């Protein structure tokens, strides 16, 4: 039998052209079959498909049964009027891939549990794990019982936009959810990450608030003694509040030629050890308060209460990371080395440049690093007097 495809005009009450082509029956036998068409254009298209099949796969794939023919006709009807219609091959490939994804049984809840366990094994800090759990808990409420492979990019996009928050919150939620699906791929539970195709809104970064030297002096002067060391380390060494809460006085080395504070890897957000030299004015604040090996921090609620009261007394509108932002801004202005500031703060140089560059007036640089318990730029600023207590 000839493995060729031919087109001929035909005298027929309903059709005008016939395509003769190889065909394999259900029992495996090969025959030559004729297929009729109304127009020569349809006949040519059909013949081209048969020839392509013969060239790629041989005569064994030349057979097209009734269901397949119906599917082809349905595709052609749908394609009419579509400006950018995908090819039949692309549609079939996408449908097969979707079917294969769904056949892998794994719920969103199971993947999220695996992500949290993976974070614990990786040694993420309790704060980092808490943030993961908080963000993923809401995603679980919406999709926990769904098969992970069935979620689409559009569904996840709509969910992210329904969450209230800033553009940065959108990006943060997207990153955390994306990490779940990325882990699913590594575990062989998924073949694609639908979050990878989610478009993020533009994040506009406003310049962070920082303190003027006189504001910082007033804040430190009014702070209770047990709060003051934590504020000093944030303002003059760039520690995060959580890092300051976790260290002990034994980590603060006030003597020697180059006093410094050491942050063990278990204390830092990035799980990387840091050592930051302490400037002279920080020593003046810390030395009268040093207390052996005890911890600096105390309960979060009490810390927040003391800080809010102190900021209010100093006339300062408080915002998160205000002291750390102040350190980054004045330190970068002082040494003009983003890489070194990034190393001290446990960030990247790009983050330092993005957040802290060009925020400080030149005349304020020296003033900031001259903030001491008694003096600021040569002016004596006394502590508030404490009420005298009578001996009992």
């Amino acid at each position: 039998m000839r493995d060729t495809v031919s087109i001929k005009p035909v005298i027929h009450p309903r059709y005008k052209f016939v395509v003769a082509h190889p065909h394999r029956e259900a029992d495996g036998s090969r025959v030559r079959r004729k297929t009729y068409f109304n127009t020569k254009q349809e006949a040519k298209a059909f013949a081209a498909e048969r020839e392509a099949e013969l060239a790629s796969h041989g005569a064994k794939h030349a057979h097209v049964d009734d269901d397949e023919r119906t599917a082809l006709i349905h595709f052609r009807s749908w394609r009419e009027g579509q400006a950018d219609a995908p090819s039949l091959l692309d549609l079939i490939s996408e449908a097969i891939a979707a079917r294969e994804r769904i056949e892998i049984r794994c719920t969103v809840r199971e993947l999220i549990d695996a992500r949290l366990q993976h974070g614990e094994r990786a040694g993420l800090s309790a704060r980092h794990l808490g943030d993961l759990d908080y963000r993923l808990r809401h995603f679980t409420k919406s999709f926990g019982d769904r098969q992970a492979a069935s979620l689409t990019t559009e569904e996840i996009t709509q969910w992210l936009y329904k969450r209230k928050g800033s553009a940065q919150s959108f990006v943060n939620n997207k990153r955390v959810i994306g990490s779940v699906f990325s882990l699913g791929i590594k575990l062989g539970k998924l073949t694609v990450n639908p979050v990878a195709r989610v478009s993020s809104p533009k994040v506009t970064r406003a310049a962070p608030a920082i303190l003027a030297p006189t504001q910082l002096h007033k804040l430190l002067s009014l702070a209770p003694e047990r709060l003051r060391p934590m504020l000093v380390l944030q303002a003059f060494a760039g520690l995060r509040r959580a890092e300051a809460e976790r260290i002990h006085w034994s980590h603060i080395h006030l003597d020697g030629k180059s006093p410094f504070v050491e942050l063990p890897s278990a204390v830092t957000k990035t799980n990387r050890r840091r050592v930051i030299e302490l400037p002279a004015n920080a020593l003046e604040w810390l030395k009268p308060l040093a207390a052996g090996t005890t911890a600096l921090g105390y309960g979060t609620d009490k810390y927040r209460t003391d800080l809010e009261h102190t900021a209010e007394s100093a006339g300062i509108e408080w915002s998160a990371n205000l002291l750390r932002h102040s350190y980054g801004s004045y330190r970068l202005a002082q040494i003009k080395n983003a890489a070194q500031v990034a190393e001290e703060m446990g960030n990247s140089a790009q983050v330092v440049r993005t957040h802290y560059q060009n925020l400080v007036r030149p005349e304020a640089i020296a003033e900031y690093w001259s903030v001491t318990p008694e003096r600021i730029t040569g002016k004596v600023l006394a502590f508030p007097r404490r009420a005298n207590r009578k001996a009992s």
Side-chain angles (χ1 to χ4, degrees), residues 79 87 99 143 165 274 358 385:
R79 186 176 58 183
S87 68
R99 183 64 177 263
F143 301 110
R274 301 206 313 273
N358 301 323
R385 291 184 176 274

Side-chain angles (χ1 to χ4, degrees), residues 242-293:
E243 292 171 340
E245 281 190 330
R246 294 173 188 149
I247 66 171
H248 292 68
W249 277 103
S250 58
H251 295 122
I252 304 173
H253 303 271
L254 301 176
D255 299 320
K257 187 176 180 180
S258 300
F260 64 94
V261 55
E262 60 174 321
L263 302 179
S265 58
V267 165
T268 66
K269 179 181 178 180
T270 58
N271 291 330
R272 289 193 302 112
R273 181 176 179 270
R274 301 206 313 273
V275 173
I276 307 106
E277 289 191 15
L278 292 170
N281 62 332
L283 299 180
E284 292 191 43
W285 289 101
L286 292 172
K287 281 185 175 180
L289 304 171
T293 61

Side-chain angles (χ1 to χ4, degrees), residues 112-126 128-130 132-133 183 271:
I112 287 176
D113 289 343
R115 176 67 181 92
L116 293 172
Q117 292 172 8
H118 182 268
E120 290 178 358
R121 290 195 296 268
L124 297 182
S125 67
H128 194 168
L129 287 173
L132 278 178
D133 181 68
L183 179 62
N271 291 330

Side-chain angles (χ1 to χ4, degrees), residues 156-175 195-205:
I156 296 173
T157 300
Q158 290 181 5
W159 185 87
L160 286 168
Y161 274 107
K162 287 179 180 178
R163 297 284 298 162
K164 294 182 179 180
S166 64
Q168 185 62 56
S169 295
F170 183 105
V171 171
N172 292 341
N173 285 325
K174 174 187 171 182
R175 172 181 49 78
V195 182
R197 297 192 297 272
V198 173
S199 298
S200 301
K202 182 178 180 180
V203 177
T204 303
R205 300 186 184 278

